[in-house]
Amino acid sequence: MKCSECDTVLANENSLKRHNRSFHTSTASFPSSICGVCDERVSSKELEVHLSKKHGISVEHEKLSFVDADAFEEWRRNVETEHKAKYIRFSTRKNSEKTIVYFTCNRSGEARVVSQDSRKRRPKLKGSRKTGRKCTSRITANFFADGTVAIDFCRTHSGHTAELEHLPIPSQVKQEVAAKLASKIPASEILEQVRTSANTNELRREQLITTQDLRNIRKSLGNELQASIEPIGTELTNSCNAENPESQDLSNGLRCENNARPFDLDEDKKKIHDMISSIMKDIKTHHGSNAFIDILNYAGPIVRAAEDHGSRMNELVSQTENKDIDNQRISPDKESASSRTMPSRSPIEVSEEAIHLNPETENVIEEDLNVL
DNA sequence: GGGTCCAAGGGACGGATGTA
DNA sequence: TACATCCGTCCCTTGGACCC
């Protein structure tokens, strides 16, 4: 692709955009060293002295050596976990006897943010992981020809705090999750396992894992393996699939795409009734009558809200059906689908009074009590 | 010559968006 | 609200420049 401004040829659109940002916009400069404490502009070399003299921050260095690259990588992983940090390759130099790799803190530097004019999406909600300041923490690693590694490690970070949300999910955790997905462990169970996996009181990056992260990990697997795993999210909320048609989420029945069946109010009411009977039986058997009454009190407002929701829904469906008949129109297109969209409702407020059940619900519960 | 920083571009990741 | 997709952002490499 050819740049219209300077005739430079770039490999793809992405590179062309970046080229335009770099050469043909006013924001083409690379960040120099700005002190993360006072925002004063100082040279990279002076930064450590500046931090020490002006802010009393002593920047610690240590020299370490490792028998091989694997030992160094293991040490790096441990340090990253311990310091809630991530070190990325910044530069590499090779000569006849060694390769020097410079690692820098991933928070160091400035995000390559696109200009307001060319931006098509809003910036990341949690912000860039780049601080716009130079962090002093870095690793200079010398990889010798005999396999040994000698490093100079500066452990002192500056210009930012340890923030887990700006760290990537550790690759080891990703591998573990991928293995669990591959062995068809339900996503909800994997989330629970990962979030409760830490054996310390300190929060770790993997404990912030989300459903979207699981989807991304699933996506990164091979096509064949990916196809064998249930789509994540469907499985978390409603298993609407051919193997398990009975497990459909009733509240979602109207927009269930796979193996959809007609919404049958009477049938679904019966199912809910059966479920409640079964749960009640369980509660009374295992926890006694007091627990049973407590649950009833707790469930009261929920039952009332559901009844309220149900009657409003019936009303709306009936109105829509009447409208369709009046207009002699049966159109399952977007327009008619949107006309069926439920109006947004304010969150259900639960008052003390709401605990009292209406006579009809009380009759149902009484029947269940008799059954028990 | 060694050490470091900066510039530039390729490739990949992953998170926000759009849609059903 | 789930999910596919797009694209903003990040990582990595190479090479030039500068300083000591």
Side-chain angles (χ1 to χ4, degrees):
Chain A
M1 301 196 117
K2 201 172 179 181
C3 172
S4 57
E5 301 273 331
C6 65
D7 290 348
T8 304
V9 178
L10 288 309
N12 53 47
E13 199 179 342
N14 198 22
S15 297
L16 179 61
K17 280 180 189 169
R18 193 173 42 216
H19 168 87
N20 277 324
R21 286 201 301 273
S22 301
F23 296 102
H24 309 306
T25 66
S26 56
T27 56
S29 63
F30 199 83
S32 61
S33 301
I34 299 170
C35 171
V37 182
C38 67
D39 282 359
E40 191 176 320
R41 196 173 284 268
V42 290
S43 76
S44 300
K45 285 176 183 172
E46 290 167 347
L47 184 57
E48 289 190 17
V49 179
H50 170 88
L51 285 169
S52 172
K53 282 188 177 173
K54 289 244 174 150
H55 309 298
I57 299 170
S58 102
V59 178
E60 294 175 42
H61 282 265
E62 59 185 285
K63 293 192 185 300
L64 300 166
S65 54
F66 303 89
V67 290
D68 56 26
D70 289 343
F72 164 69
E73 285 303 324
E74 192 185 344
W75 169 86
R76 184 157 74 101
R77 279 196 297 274
N78 289 338
V79 165
E80 287 176 344
T81 307
E82 186 189 337
H83 291 243
K84 296 188 177 73
K86 166 84 178 165
Y87 292 95
I88 56 171
R89 283 169 183 261
F90 173 63
S91 191
T92 308
R93 272 275 160 254
K94 283 179 186 170
N95 64 27
S96 56
E97 61 179 48
K98 64 180 180 181
T99 299
I100 308 165
V101 181
Y102 302 96
F103 294 88
T104 182
C105 169
N106 77 329
R107 306 296 309 281
S108 190
E110 203 159 276
R112 294 181 199 170
V113 187
V114 296
S115 68
Q116 200 70 30
D117 298 339
S118 54
R119 177 176 290 283
K120 291 181 179 173
R121 293 181 177 180
R122 68 180 182 199
K124 287 182 178 180
L125 290 176
K126 62 183 178 186
S128 169
R129 61 180 67 175
K130 298 294 183 187
T131 59
R133 305 284 179 272
K134 188 177 176 65
C135 176
T136 42
S137 187
R138 55 183 291 147
I139 303 167
T140 304
N142 295 273
F143 293 82
F144 295 101
D146 65 358
T148 59
V149 183
I151 69 160
D152 178 88
F153 173 45
C154 175
R155 64 168 64 243
T156 311
H157 292 264
S158 65
H160 68 93
T161 53
E163 288 156 303
L164 289 171
E165 67 267 29
H166 289 300
L167 292 176
I169 300 167
S171 55
Q172 201 184 336
V173 174
K174 280 190 198 170
Q175 283 168 15
E176 285 169 13
V177 169
K180 285 176 181 172
L181 285 170
S183 54
K184 303 213 164 101
I185 297 175
S188 52
E189 204 173 306
I190 297 173
L191 279 179
E192 182 68 19
Q193 284 175 8
V194 175
R195 285 169 178 170
T196 56
S197 62
N199 45 17
T200 65
N201 291 330
E202 214 167 332
L203 192 64
R204 295 170 65 161
R205 172 62 182 88
E206 53 266 39
Q207 290 174 280
L208 303 180
I209 198 165
T210 64
T211 315
Q212 184 61 42
D213 291 327
L214 290 195
R215 287 192 199 104
N216 289 334
I217 293 170
R218 178 182 177 272
K219 196 175 67 178
S220 69
L221 300 172
N223 284 344
E224 205 177 309
L225 198 53
Q226 199 180 123
S228 72
I229 303 169
E230 189 85 355
I232 294 156
T234 304
E235 179 254 324
L236 277 176
T237 51
N238 62 322
S239 299
C240 177
N241 55 52
E243 292 81 24
N244 194 13
E246 292 300 311
S247 64
Q248 289 179 89
D249 182 346
L250 302 171
S251 66
N252 218 10
L254 284 171
R255 62 181 190 87
C256 193
E257 287 172 11
N258 302 329
N259 198 33
R261 62 167 175 75
F263 183 72
D264 185 329
L265 202 59
D266 287 338
E267 189 192 331
D268 290 338
K269 267 171 79 176
K270 186 177 175 304
K271 277 188 180 177
I272 292 169
H273 189 270
D274 290 347
M275 276 165 60
I276 291 173
S277 300
S278 161
I279 293 167
M280 283 176 162
K281 200 170 181 177
D282 248 21
I283 293 167
K284 201 178 181 190
T285 309
H286 295 103
H287 303 287
S289 299
N290 287 343
F292 180 68
I293 298 301
D294 283 348
I295 296 287
L296 285 185
N297 285 336
Y298 177 76
I302 298 169
V303 172
R304 270 176 61 96
E307 285 174 349
D308 180 38
H309 185 77
S311 59
R312 277 166 181 265
M313 196 164 149
N314 284 339
E315 199 180 317
L316 270 167
V317 169
S318 143
Q319 278 173 8
T320 312
E321 278 167 354
N322 289 338
K323 198 177 169 186
D324 283 349
I325 291 164
D326 289 347
N327 294 338
Q328 294 294 303
R329 183 164 61 98
I330 305 169
S331 50
D333 59 9
K334 269 188 180 181
E335 199 186 338
S336 67
S338 64
S339 74
R340 286 175 183 262
T341 306
M342 298 290 288
S344 62
R345 300 184 58 202
S346 55
I348 298 160
E349 289 177 14
V350 178
S351 66
E352 284 293 320
E353 290 167 359
I355 290 172
H356 300 293
L357 307 177
N358 72 21
E360 200 182 327
T361 310
E362 279 176 346
N363 287 340
V364 173
I365 292 169
E366 207 168 320
E367 279 172 25
D368 279 314
L369 281 168
N370 291 335
V371 171
L372 293 167

